[in-house]
Amino acid sequence: EVQLQASGGGLVQTGGSLRLSCAASGFTSDEYAIGWFRQAPGKEREAVSCLNTRDGSTNYADSVTGRFTISRDNAKNLVYLQMNNLKAEDTAVYFCAVDGISPWCGNFYYLPRFNFWGRGTLVTVSS
């Protein structure tokens, strides 16, 4: 059974940092794309970052480039999203999701390709 669970959200002040974790298990293949996404109140869900588990390459949305870092701990089956210099506009529920078919992250903005989703974790950035 495929399971994804995001955690690590919380309340942080502007300029602060948080690290989100995504526990991923149950995949039959070791090669897939795993991404972080977020949905702010009243807005559509959007892509934040993606990691290609085949070659380790990463992609980021322009809004988080230079501030967020996606990484993976293979031994623990965890994927992290390190978020630094947080801004009020980063406030959202954050989700991790997997495309179990292709590890390529080039079109990670296309959310329907991600067929496994976990529950989200709330990040609130106060000014």
Side-chain angles (χ1 to χ4, degrees), residues 17-124:
S17 299
L18 277 176
R19 189 179 75 165
L20 305 183
S21 299
C22 176
S25 62
F27 296 98
T28 56
S29 172
D30 291 334
E31 296 184 350
Y32 50 84
I34 184 163
W36 284 99
F37 305 84
R38 66 187 181 186
Q39 188 165 16
K43 295 187 177 181
E44 294 187 352
R45 193 170 298 186
E46 63 177 2
V48 174
S49 183
C50 183
L51 183 146
N52 179 329
T53 64
R54 174 188 293 173
D55 62 12
S57 60
T58 58
N59 292 64
Y60 297 93
D62 290 343
S63 60
V64 305
T65 297
R67 300 188 298 122
F68 291 11
T69 303
I70 188 171
S71 62
R72 183 186 186 198
D73 184 327
N74 292 335
K76 297 182 180 179
N77 286 331
L78 291 173
V79 174
Y80 302 108
L81 184 69
Q82 178 67 43
M83 306 186 294
N84 298 329
N85 190 21
L86 282 161
K87 304 176 181 180
E89 51 263 42
D90 295 318
T91 294
V93 177
Y94 284 71
F95 303 85
C96 56
V98 166
D99 177 343
I101 298 175
S102 171
W104 185 59
C105 284
N107 65 338
F108 77 111
Y109 290 99
Y110 184 63
L111 271 60
R113 63 168 284 202
F114 291 88
N115 45 347
F116 299 105
W117 290 82
R119 290 188 175 182
T121 185
L122 177 63
V123 173
T124 304

